[in-house]
Amino acid sequence: MSSIAHALIPGAQGNIPALDFQETTCCHAGITLTNHDAFSDGQDARPYSYVQQSDIDMAASTLTAEMTSEGQQAIQGKIQSGEQQAGKAKCSASSSASHSAGERSNSVTVSTTMTCIAEVFNRDDAYAMATNLLKSDATQTFHNHYALTSPLKTTLINAVIQNPEGMISLHIEAQGQWVAQFDAASRQEMARLIAGLNAASAQDLLLHQPGITQVRITVTNSPGNVLPLDEHKMIIQVGP
């Protein structure tokens, strides 16, 4: 019968030739052993290099950091005039190695592919939309005698990406100054409104009219500080 045996001496010294021992008594009377075949595969200890997972991870991490910075700079170069980026660019890396962890090798080559995505919006169009909305709101809020007296100012507060599809929410502050305008007919109507009233009552009445924030009334030659009944005898001046 045959059985499996192994050398007790490690390394190449255990590679004994065939029939190195013959008819060797073993174990019990009548049982002998002979190695009909040579022992093989015994190797002496020797140093060698092999790839560790930490080698791959370190190289991939270094490449990812460098390429992320380069990718974000490349995106800035792609933004057109009038466009503005919303939020930060999202970069993802994929790495591969020429050898797997545990393989014998004096070196390993790590390759990394970087993909960066950014969302942009047309800043000029967004500002124009904000100013148009402000003008529309002013038209609905004020009466027709109000007029815009200063250039509209728009300021971007923030731009937030709302979902994976790239929908952007913009917060834009738009400012402008509208001032009430009083033509000759409006001033004549004011005079008719306060005719015959004393100065205090007239002032209170005018302050409750749209567009009026300050009133100063001067009455001459009138007992009790009463305004004339004839509105044509009053002079109304409008200031900013």
Side-chain angles (χ1 to χ4, degrees):
M1 61 180 294
S2 62
S3 61
I4 298 174
H6 65 274
L8 293 178
I9 302 175
Q13 292 182 4
N15 295 332
I16 60 175
L19 302 178
D20 187 63
F21 55 90
Q22 302 184 51
E23 303 297 329
T24 301
T25 301
C26 171
C27 309
H28 298 282
I31 297 178
T32 58
L33 296 176
T34 301
N35 68 313
H36 295 285
D37 299 318
F39 282 24
S40 62
D41 295 333
Q43 297 183 19
D44 294 331
R46 61 183 180 85
Y48 66 89
S49 299
Y50 69 97
V51 178
Q52 297 186 83
Q53 185 62 46
S54 59
D55 299 328
I56 299 174
D57 294 343
M58 183 178 295
S61 177
T62 301
L63 286 172
T64 299
E66 294 176 353
M67 296 179 68
T68 297
S69 177
E70 293 175 358
Q72 292 176 343
Q73 290 179 4
I75 284 179
Q76 294 300 315
K78 297 293 184 179
I79 298 177
Q80 302 297 316
S81 175
E83 292 181 339
Q84 185 164 332
Q85 183 175 330
K88 294 183 179 180
K90 294 182 179 179
C91 296
S92 59
S94 175
S95 299
S96 61
S98 58
H99 295 283
S100 301
E103 289 186 13
R104 294 187 181 185
S105 177
N106 292 325
S107 63
V108 60
T109 300
V110 177
S111 301
T112 298
T113 300
M114 178 68 65
T115 302
C116 292
I117 299 176
E119 300 293 340
V120 299
F121 62 94
N122 191 298
R123 182 179 59 252
D124 296 338
D125 288 349
Y127 285 174
M129 183 181 297
T131 56
N132 288 335
L133 288 172
L134 179 61
K135 289 179 180 178
S136 176
D137 184 64
T139 300
Q140 297 176 18
T141 303
F142 303 136
H143 63 70
N144 294 333
H145 296 305
Y146 278 80
L148 180 65
T149 59
S150 65
L152 291 177
K153 179 183 178 182
T154 52
T155 304
L156 176 66
I157 304 301
N158 60 36
V160 180
I161 301 175
Q162 294 284 48
N163 54 37
E165 287 71 34
M167 180 180 293
I168 302 174
S169 174
L170 300 178
H171 180 190
I172 297 176
E173 184 179 89
Q175 295 179 336
Q177 184 178 35
W178 276 260
V179 175
Q181 307 294 310
F182 298 98
D183 55 15
S186 299
R187 294 195 297 273
Q188 192 63 37
E189 180 61 29
M190 289 183 200
R192 188 177 301 111
L193 187 66
I194 61 176
L197 300 178
N198 61 50
S201 298
Q203 180 174 351
D204 183 66
L205 183 60
L206 290 176
L207 286 174
H208 284 82
Q209 303 306 305
I212 298 178
T213 58
Q214 186 176 359
V215 175
R216 185 178 64 183
I217 298 177
T218 302
V219 181
T220 58
N221 301 323
S222 174
N225 225 19
V226 176
L227 297 171
L229 289 172
D230 185 358
E231 68 267 18
H232 295 93
K233 294 183 178 180
M234 289 184 283
I235 300 175
I236 295 182
Q237 297 177 333
V238 178

